[in-house]
Amino acid sequence: MKLNPIIKKDLDILRDSLSRHMVDGKTFLVAGGAGFLGSWFCDTLNTLNARIICVDNLLSGSDDNISHLKKDAFQLVKSDIISYKPTEKIDYIVNMACIASPPLYQKHPIQTLDASVLGTRNLLEIARKNDIEGFLLSSTSEIYGDATIIPTPEDYWGNVNPIGPRSIYDEGKRVAETYSLSYCQKYGLPVRIARIFNTYGPRLDTKSTNQYGRVIVKFIDQALKSESITVYGDGRQTRSFCYITDQIVGLFKLLLRQGIDGQVVNLGNDDERTILELAKFIIKLTNSKSEITFQSLPKDDPKRRRPDIRKAEELLEWQPKVSLEEGLTKTVAYTKH
Ligand SMILES: NC(=O)c1ccc[n+]([C@@H]2O[C@H](COP(=O)([O-])OP(=O)(O)OC[C@H]3O[C@@H](n4cnc5c(N)ncnc54)[C@H](O)[C@@H]3O)[C@@H](O)[C@H]2O)c1
């Protein structure tokens, strides 16, 4: 299968902005590598000459995201991370394996919790046995729940309903963080934790945009079909959207920087927008005739989301570069292609 030209162009940008020297020839275990973020991570590793073992049960990911990768340096193992056992030496582990879409994780609550808790524990054990050079956990802004401090810094403890409809995801990630830091403290594992804020771009939920689409792909899909754009609540709730290439650069820097074991870092774009503003922006960008309709707000939906990214700026010398307009233009072009 050929690589989409929009993705190919972005991968050239990623290859030029990242250093190859720590990655070349190393073996990376990418758990959840057939998903949105995971497949971009695999693609970037591939351009940097790394060897990749992608472990994925394809619950929310797709073969289509990775089928173009070179067979000699890339291997897909269709397995659950809870039970996966490697057969060769691993140098780095990147844990992206967890369903991130609310309707989908609510459909698979036990599997989602198990992936975060038991799956992360299994990967940490693999890390220990392999004496790895780096372990990256993809955590989430959702561990802050309905945050009361905006922009939200890493030392904010969170405001999460432990038995609400989002708790499957939020609490699972909170335990995954605690497990990872406990392995760092007890065994000296080189763990780093990324608290990822809403990230979008080509390949996000291509398999099932209507049923499970996260907000940007859902709006683009509705706008291109001239269907009504469904906004929850009055649309004044906010999110901050990070384009995929910015997120991947941040994740690579966090994993590969020396001397920052045990660090927890927010990665996202701090350009905060209301959902209504986003809907209008997408209608304009796609030249759509769609109208906006309003539906009731889901329970425990966070009112505002905006990361405090000063720690990433200082520790990683990282800042997002792609504006919402540029990122959406690429995502719309990819969706139309
Ligand atoms: N995209 C975002 O905006 C965002 C925001 C915050 C955090 N994250 C985190 O980043 C990671 C990747 O998210 P994404 O947006 O790419 O989601 P995704 O659903 O596209 O990818 C997750 C991948 O993990 C696989 N997976 C799920 N459970 C598994 C298991 N038990 N064993 C093996 N594979 C399993 C799925 O099949 C899929 O390929 C997740 O951990 C998510 O929590 C993403």
Side-chain angles (χ1 to χ4, degrees):
M1 200 170 142
K2 267 184 86 179
L3 195 55
N4 175 283
I6 291 152
I7 296 181
K8 192 170 177 312
K9 231 179 181 174
D10 274 345
L11 283 173
D12 290 341
I13 297 169
L14 281 169
R15 190 195 48 229
D16 294 343
S17 52
L18 290 164
S19 155
R20 164 181 295 215
H21 82 279
M22 286 178 73
V23 173
D24 202 339
K26 298 281 184 184
T27 301
F28 283 71
L29 166 57
V30 184
F36 166 54
L37 278 160
S39 62
W40 275 89
F41 206 94
C42 290
D43 265 328
T44 310
L45 285 171
N46 189 52
T47 67
L48 300 173
N49 276 356
R51 301 187 62 245
I52 306 150
I53 302 169
C54 164
V55 182
D56 201 301
N57 63 3
L58 302 180
L59 197 57
S60 58
S62 167
D63 247 334
D64 295 346
N65 290 341
I66 46 172
S67 53
H68 58 282
L69 284 167
K70 276 191 275 163
K71 295 290 172 269
D72 50 344
F74 178 85
Q75 186 192 340
L76 170 65
V77 182
K78 287 185 193 165
S79 164
D80 198 299
I81 53 159
I82 295 169
S83 52
Y84 171 71
K85 301 242 175 310
T87 51
E88 58 188 289
K89 170 85 176 81
I90 311 284
D91 299 307
Y92 288 92
I93 296 180
V94 178
N95 183 10
M96 303 271 187
C98 182
I99 304 170
S101 156
L104 194 54
Y105 67 63
Q106 280 154 10
K107 193 175 163 198
H108 301 284
I110 313 294
Q111 273 162 298
T112 303
L113 265 169
D114 283 352
S116 283
V117 180
L118 306 178
T120 300
R121 170 119 201 244
N122 184 38
L123 294 178
L124 287 162
E125 278 298 322
I126 295 170
R128 195 157 77 89
K129 286 173 190 148
N130 278 266
D131 195 19
I132 52 144
E133 295 173 40
F135 183 101
L136 179 68
L137 173 70
S138 62
S139 185
T140 169
S141 55
E142 297 298 316
I143 68 125
Y144 297 125
D146 194 6
T148 52
I149 298 182
I150 307 285
T152 311
E154 289 84 352
D155 57 8
Y156 177 66
W157 287 6
N159 178 27
V160 175
N161 176 356
I163 51 168
R166 303 175 80 94
S167 60
I168 308 145
Y169 184 66
D170 307 0
E171 297 294 354
K173 289 286 185 183
R174 286 168 77 96
V175 177
E177 286 200 5
T178 311
Y179 253 138
S180 303
L181 289 181
S182 301
Y183 270 74
C184 178
Q185 281 148 16
K186 182 146 178 69
Y187 301 114
L189 269 192
V191 163
R192 288 95 202 272
I193 297 176
R195 290 195 181 141
I196 300 172
F197 282 66
N198 290 68
T199 300
Y200 71 99
R203 288 197 189 133
L204 181 60
D205 281 345
T206 48
K207 218 164 64 165
S208 47
T209 45
N210 287 329
Q211 203 178 355
Y212 301 124
R214 284 170 267 173
V215 66
I216 284 190
V217 273
K218 188 181 87 174
F219 284 179
I220 291 176
D221 188 54
Q222 290 171 329
L224 291 177
K225 289 180 182 155
S226 297
E227 291 171 358
S228 37
I229 304 239
T230 44
V231 166
Y232 294 137
D234 59 10
R236 279 191 293 176
Q237 68 275 29
T238 69
R239 297 292 182 269
S240 308
F241 298 102
C242 183
Y243 188 65
I244 183 70
T245 51
D246 282 334
Q247 186 61 248
I248 293 292
V249 171
L251 292 170
F252 265 79
K253 287 191 164 193
L254 180 57
L255 176 61
L256 298 175
R257 179 130 311 184
Q258 301 286 299
I260 58 165
D261 293 351
Q263 291 290 347
V264 180
V265 180
N266 285 341
L267 289 177
N269 195 315
D270 58 355
D271 175 15
E272 187 182 8
R273 307 287 182 124
T274 68
I275 292 297
L276 194 56
E277 204 183 334
L278 177 75
K280 287 179 182 165
F281 200 13
I282 288 175
I283 289 174
K284 199 170 143 214
L285 207 66
T286 51
N287 214 3
S288 170
K289 294 192 171 39
S290 292
E291 287 180 1
I292 296 174
T293 56
F294 296 89
Q295 290 183 354
S296 56
L297 201 61
K299 189 172 174 330
D300 296 345
D301 201 50
K303 286 184 266 310
R304 288 182 71 187
R305 271 271 178 271
R306 180 181 174 191
D308 181 333
I309 54 171
R310 282 174 299 176
K311 188 168 177 185
E313 286 169 356
E314 284 159 24
L315 204 65
L316 311 176
E317 293 155 73
W318 172 88
Q319 262 185 338
K321 291 188 179 142
V322 182
S323 68
L324 185 63
E325 182 162 21
E326 189 189 344
L328 283 180
T329 305
K330 289 188 199 195
T331 312
V332 168
Y334 171 84
T335 313
K336 280 181 171 169
H337 192 268

